């Protein structure tokens, strides 16, 4: 209880300004995908507006990931994160809490940041999924990644891909953020090594670099 | 001119050492391309999940794995704790299953049936209830110096008595513990291990599996946090290798978040009744403490209190409480954060009683620090006082400004050893000019790779990018485990020795052609040239081409010739907080640290250690606690919603100052990972007391405890 209160008071928000509660509602999944079994499966897909029960065995799933179509056979309970990591070897997004707390699995679904651990792979069908790998295609780092390197906004680096994704998404809605907006807008990601100081500066710097690039007509990503 | 050929270059000759250089593996990490053990996917790989014991203390009566074994997709099942075995903490791994998918493995783990015999348990020790802890205590040897009784009874001595504490916390590494194991032949194993000790891991697997250690290769290119908890193979490592053998397939077995928090390491708690006495001028003269704590079912370390300050008359007693709370594991600066809190908070309370500024009191007593480090502490206290604007913002206890937001400052000092560990480096220069440095070391995020590259590049007169650093593989020359801030001291010294010898071999090869004696050559700016005479020079590539078909290889060791590092640092930290007396919320305004660590190789990653340590310190000061339930014996917050870490908005403004230059640099390299994480607890607790005028006696300083302390009132 007390933690809940603190969390509300400390103003933790998702990268796009939604509270965690809103996020969960929006995603249509109130608990971690990995414990969605049996009857819960029926509720797992309301976002599609269909009451059709899928599973329990494997079903064909078609995902759009980083601009490519990927076909898989998956049990309906498999999360988007596990599908990407275990089946497609896209391991940039990390599995840490597996229940929408830490942000290590942050990726984009139609340009909105989502926690991949809290979206079912079947729910992601029909959406464009973009993972961290997309932003260094061809070996060229996204300006946000360069800013993370420059400001040493990473130690062990395990939270870093999720943070980079959250930051990229955050700048889409806050192209010229204040420090206060950074503190609120990136409250949905956690780091154990304590790299927040570097991250704050990386985001502000990347915002400048990206708006300069945009002005020069080189819109990235 | 250096007296010893391996010595660090003089200050004016350092091109790279001490500069702010970005970590060389930064792009791999920030792009998500760095592969951690959790990211390893091998053809045909199986996924393992644990069967976790739901009770704190039980004996296993029976295990039935038959249903799990029959499930389609399940390829191996292993009992970890057999019938008759005693489980000592909830969540412990009783058995494990491997299956073709994570989902099937989870189902199979649930299908394993275990019967337990309940045994009495203890999971909370804060109140040291004599009845409940009967038979569960061990006494450490008492430490007594001088005559504390006599010192306390001096009428001129002012004493303060209080109760303080810091609970058990966990490591909460974001990458969980575990391994991917793969048999390469009947007697030969490869492991991808999330480990702080790459070179030491093969021997552990080999012994447990009864195969030759030389047949085991351990790889750990990247690790998502360890903090002292990842040295062992662990039961899950062995089970992974066994199941991989049973199934004939590689097995990925890394822990789930809940079991990571319940079973993969505890930082022992420390609670104490403390009495401390000083003369009216603040000179500390006497100390008495009765301390207790737990880290699990076996005794953990004795807390070194009084901390830093060897008060002349002192006695300490320590009782280990054996609780069913998980295994004690080294947690960044083992025993020191607890000792700092249990020492620096009573001293701060005593300062308040004496109407003294606590920073001045520490200044006055700094010479009680061992190894003659008083001067260092005075310099560092002076520095943090400036950085935190102490004279402007500090005030006697209790912020008297109107309103419900109270601001306060607190200070603490700390110490650590940090001598470089034993290890080896192999530097190779190829005729095409490429250079590698190979070490069986690991980079925990501290910047190990980058430090190695900087040292080799500095020595060879090359840019950092010219050095290919190969670490994270036990096939490279043995290097020590990364614990206790020993890595940078170790790898910088072994790399320096290897690089100097490699460079000298290259000098010998090109000297005749240049017509300059080898000992009159230098390697600078990508050239080999006569000292001070650029007209006689070769580019690096030209020079290396002279090697013909030969390759230069040199092996460097630590310890070895020439003093390249030492041990023993200080450090001072100030916290500046605002406390809302209506909600009890503590907000960090600012943290400042002045830290020495001898010669700094990379200023950027050194500063990062300090920023990170302060943030980790904010976490354990305000949020973290392994909360145990007396009724079920289980951890109540084995998840990241309720095992709380600070977020990006919780850290305030951070200021770091590294002590460098004369008096510091000539000490050589000393480790830095631990020291700055030690003081935050005491500094923040003291800042809160300074703000609200009463002590919150235990960490974490939660709103609930702040409100309770305010309601109770306390010392004026
Ligand atoms: S792993 Fe998805 S939010 Fe933590
Ligand atoms: S860099 Fe290690 S968890 Fe963030």
């Amino acid at each position: 209880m007390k933690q809940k209160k603190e969390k509300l008071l400390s103003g933790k928000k998702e990268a796009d300004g939604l509270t965690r509660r809103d996020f969960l509602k929006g995603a249509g999944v109130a608990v971690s995908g990995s414990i969605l079994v049996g009857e819960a499966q029926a509720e797992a897909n309301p976002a599609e507006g269909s009451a059709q029960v899928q599973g329990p065995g494997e079903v064909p799933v078609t995902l759009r990931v980083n601009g490519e179509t990927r076909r898989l056979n998956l049990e309906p309970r498999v999360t988007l994160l596990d599908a990407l990591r275990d089946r497609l070897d896209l391991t940039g997004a990390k599995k840490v809490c597996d229940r929408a707390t830490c942000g290590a699995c942050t990726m984009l679904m139609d340009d909105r940041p989502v926690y991949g651990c809290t979206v079912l792979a079947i729910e992601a069908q029909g959406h464009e999924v973009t993972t961290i790998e997309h932003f260094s295609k061809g070996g060229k780092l996204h300006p946000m990644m360069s800013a993370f390197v420059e400001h040493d906004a990473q130690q062990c680096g395990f939270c870093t891909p999720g943070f980079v994704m959250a930051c990229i998404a955050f700048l889409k809605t806050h192209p010229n953020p204040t420090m206060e907006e950074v503190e609120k807008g990136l409250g949905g990601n956690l780091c154990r090594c304590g790299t927040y100081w570097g991250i704050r500066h990386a985001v502000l710097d990347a915002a400048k670099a990206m708006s300069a690039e945009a002005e020069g007509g080189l819109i990235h990503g | 001119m250096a007296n010893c050929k391996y010595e660090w270059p003089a200050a004016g000759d350092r091109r790279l050492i001490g500069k702010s250089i970005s970590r060389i593996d930064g792009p791999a990490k920030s792009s998500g391309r760095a592969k951690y053990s959790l990211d390893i996917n091998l053809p045909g790989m199986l996924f393992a999940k644990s069967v976790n014991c739901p009770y704190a203390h039980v004996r296993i009566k029976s295990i039935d794995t038959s249903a799990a074994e029959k499930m389609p997709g399940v390829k191996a099942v292993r009992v970890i704790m057999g019938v008759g075995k005693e489980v000592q903490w909830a969540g412990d791994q009783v058995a494990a299953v491997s299956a073709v998918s994570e989902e099937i493995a989870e189902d199979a783990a649930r299908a394993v049936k275990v019967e337990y015999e309940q045994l009495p348990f203890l999971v909370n020790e804060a109140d040291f209830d004599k009845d409940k802890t009967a038979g569960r205590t061990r006494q450490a040897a008492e430490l007594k110096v001088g005559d504390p009784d006599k010192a306390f009874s001096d009428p001129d001595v002012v004493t303060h008595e209080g109760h303080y504490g810091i609970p058990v916390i966990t490591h909460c590494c974001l990458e969980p513990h575990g391994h991917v194991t793969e048999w390469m032949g009947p007697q030969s194993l490869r492991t991808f291990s999330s480990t702080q000790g790459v070179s030491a891991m093969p021997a552990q697997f080999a012994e447990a599996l009864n195969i030759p250690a030389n047949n085991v290769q351990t790889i750990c290119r990247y690790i998502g946090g360890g903090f002292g908890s990842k040295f062992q193979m662990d039961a899950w490592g062995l089970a992974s290798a066994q199941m991989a053998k049973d199934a004939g397939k590689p097995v990925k077995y890394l822990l789930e978040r809940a079991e990571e928090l319940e079973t993969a390491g505890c930082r022992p708690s420390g609670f104490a009744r403390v009495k401390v006495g000083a003369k009216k001028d603040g000179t500390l003269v006497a100390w008495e403490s009765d301390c207790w704590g737990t880290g699990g079912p076996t005794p953990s370390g004795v807390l070194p209190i009084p901390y830093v300050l060897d008060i002349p008359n002192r006695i300490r007693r320590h009782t280990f409480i054996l609780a069913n709370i998980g295994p004690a594991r080294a947690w960044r600066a083992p025993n020191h954060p607890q000792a700092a809190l249990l020492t620096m908070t009573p001293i701060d309370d005593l300062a308040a009683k004496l109407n003294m500024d606590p920073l001045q009191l520490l200044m006055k007593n700094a010479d009680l620090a061992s190894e003659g480090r008083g001067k260092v502490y005075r310099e560092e206290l002076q520095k943090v006082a400036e950085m935190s604007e102490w004279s402007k913002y500090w005030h006697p206890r209790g912020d008297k400004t109107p309103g419900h937001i109270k601001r306060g400052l607190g200070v603490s000092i700390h110490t650590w050893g940090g001598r470089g560990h034993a290890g080896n480096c192999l530097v190779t220069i190829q005729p095409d000019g490429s250079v590698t440095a190979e070490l069986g070391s690991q980079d925990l995020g501290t910047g190990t790779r980058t430090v190695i590259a900087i040292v080799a590049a500095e020595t060879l007169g090359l840019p950092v990018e010219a050095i290919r650093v190969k670490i994270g593989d036990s096939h490279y020359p043995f290097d020590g485990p990364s614990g206790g801030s020993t890595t940078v001291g170790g790898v910088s010294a072994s790399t320096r020795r290897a690089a100097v010898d490699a460079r000298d071999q290259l000098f010998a090869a090109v000297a005749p052609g240049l017509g300059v004696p080898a000992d009159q050559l230098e390697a600078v700016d990508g050239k080999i040239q006569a000292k001070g005479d650029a007209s006689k020079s070769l580019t690096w590539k030209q020079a290396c081409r002279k090697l013909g078909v030969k390759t230069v290889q040199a092996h460097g060791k630590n310890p070895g010739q020439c003093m390249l590092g030492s041990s023993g640092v200080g450090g001072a930290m100030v916290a500046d907080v605002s406390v809302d007396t209506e909600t009890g919320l503590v907000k960090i305004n600012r943290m400042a640290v002045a830290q020495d660590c001898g010669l700094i190789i990379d200023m950027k990653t050194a500063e990062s250690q300090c920023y990170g340590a302060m943030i980790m310190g904010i976490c354990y000061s305000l949020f973290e606690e392994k909360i145990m339930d007396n009724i079920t014996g289980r951890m109540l917050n084995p998840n990241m919603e309720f095992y709380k870490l600070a977020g990006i908005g919780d850290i305030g403004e951070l200021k770091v100052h590294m002590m460098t230059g004369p008096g510091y640099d000539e000490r050589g390299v000393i480790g830095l990972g631990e020291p700055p994480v030690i003081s935050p607890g005491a500094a923040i607790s003291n800042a809160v007391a300074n703000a609200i005028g009463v002590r919150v006696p235990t960490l974490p300083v939660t709103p609930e405890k702040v409100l309770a302390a305010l309601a109770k009132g306390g010392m004026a």
Side-chain angles (χ1 to χ4, degrees), chain B residues 307-309 333 336-337 339-341 343-344 362 369-370 373 376-377 380-381 384 411-417 568-574 591-597 610 613-614 620 657-658 671-683:
Chain B
Y307 184 61
V308 180
L309 303 171
H336 284 231
L341 182 96
T343 304
M344 300 299 157
L362 289 180
S370 58
R373 218 168 284 136
V376 170
Y377 284 116
E380 290 177 334
L381 283 164
V384 275
V411 60
S412 172
I413 53 177
H414 53 259
T415 185
W416 190 254
V569 301
M573 189 175 287
V574 167
M591 302 274 289
V593 67
Q595 182 64 54
D596 62 297
C597 65
C610 293
M614 287 196 279
Y620 76 70
H657 179 82
M658 303 307 299
L672 175 62
E674 335 284 309
V677 88
I678 295 166
S679 275

Side-chain angles (χ1 to χ4, degrees), chain B residues 80-366:
Chain B
I80 294 175
M81 308 267 278
V83 172
K85 283 266 168 32
E86 199 174 320
V87 179
Q88 289 276 13
W89 51 80
D92 211 358
Q93 290 74 20
V94 173
V97 300
S98 291
V100 294
S101 75
E102 294 200 57
E103 299 75 35
I104 294 174
E106 276 162 20
D107 292 347
R110 269 194 296 271
V112 173
K113 297 276 169 282
V114 188
E115 286 184 315
Y116 300 99
E117 174 193 344
Q118 295 291 336
L119 300 171
F121 63 83
L122 175 77
V123 292
N124 276 306
E125 77 298 3
D127 53 359
F128 198 177
D129 183 319
K130 286 261 181 336
D131 296 333
K132 287 194 200 129
T133 54
R136 287 176 163 273
T137 59
R138 300 280 181 279
Q139 218 64 42
E142 178 179 291
L143 176 110
K144 188 174 173 189
V145 176
D147 191 342
D149 285 344
K150 185 155 164 257
F152 278 120
S153 61
D154 182 335
D156 285 340
V157 167
V158 178
T159 64
H160 161 77
E161 282 182 68
H163 161 258
Y164 304 87
I166 178 167
V168 170
I169 65 170
T170 85
H171 301 73
C172 195
C173 308
L174 291 204
E175 182 188 33
H177 285 61
H179 316 254
V180 178
T181 57
E182 178 182 26
W183 288 86
M184 311 303 284
Q187 291 275 301
S188 145
L189 181 75
R190 183 162 71 169
T191 82
F192 296 86
S193 302
S194 186
T195 180
Q196 297 177 236
V198 166
S199 288
M201 194 53 70
Q204 297 186 47
F205 276 97
E207 196 188 332
L209 295 161
N210 197 23
I211 56 174
N214 274 339
N215 289 9
V216 183
Q217 180 185 15
T218 290
I219 295 171
C220 175
R221 304 263 189 248
Y222 296 95
I223 172 173
F227 313 111
S229 67
K230 286 184 179 167
F231 294 108
Q232 291 104 307
M233 165 186 72
D234 284 311
W236 44 82
L238 178 58
S240 165
Q242 289 169 331
M243 290 189 290
K245 183 128 219 184
D246 294 346
K249 294 261 165 63
V251 169
K252 180 187 277 191
Y253 189 175
L254 286 96
L255 304 186
E256 298 287 301
R257 182 52 38 187
E259 60 181 338
E260 175 72 20
L261 289 167
E262 282 197 281
T263 73
C266 290
R267 181 176 84 176
S269 59
F271 296 87
R273 279 183 285 275
V274 176
K275 187 171 163 190
V276 57
K279 294 196 190 134
K280 294 204 172 67
D281 69 355
T283 308
L284 293 166
V285 293
W287 170 277
E288 183 179 356
S289 57
D290 279 286
C291 186
W292 68 94
T294 190
T298 49
S300 38
V302 176
L303 303 182
I305 54 177
Y307 184 61
V308 180
L309 303 171
D310 291 336
I311 300 174
N313 304 288
R314 58 188 190 270
I315 182 165
R316 95 168 161 229
R317 291 172 285 265
H318 189 99
T319 306
F320 303 109
I321 299 186
L322 312 182
N324 305 98
I325 192 169
R329 290 196 175 184
W331 194 105
R332 203 169 176 184
N335 300 322
H336 284 231
Q338 301 96 315
L341 182 96
L342 297 178
T343 304
M344 300 299 157
T345 54
I347 287 178
D348 186 79
D349 286 343
L350 179 62
K353 198 165 180 179
L354 289 163
N355 282 319
M356 269 189 86
D357 173 338
L359 196 139
Q360 292 308 324
L361 186 138
L362 289 180
M363 283 271 196
K364 189 175 186 87
N365 290 284

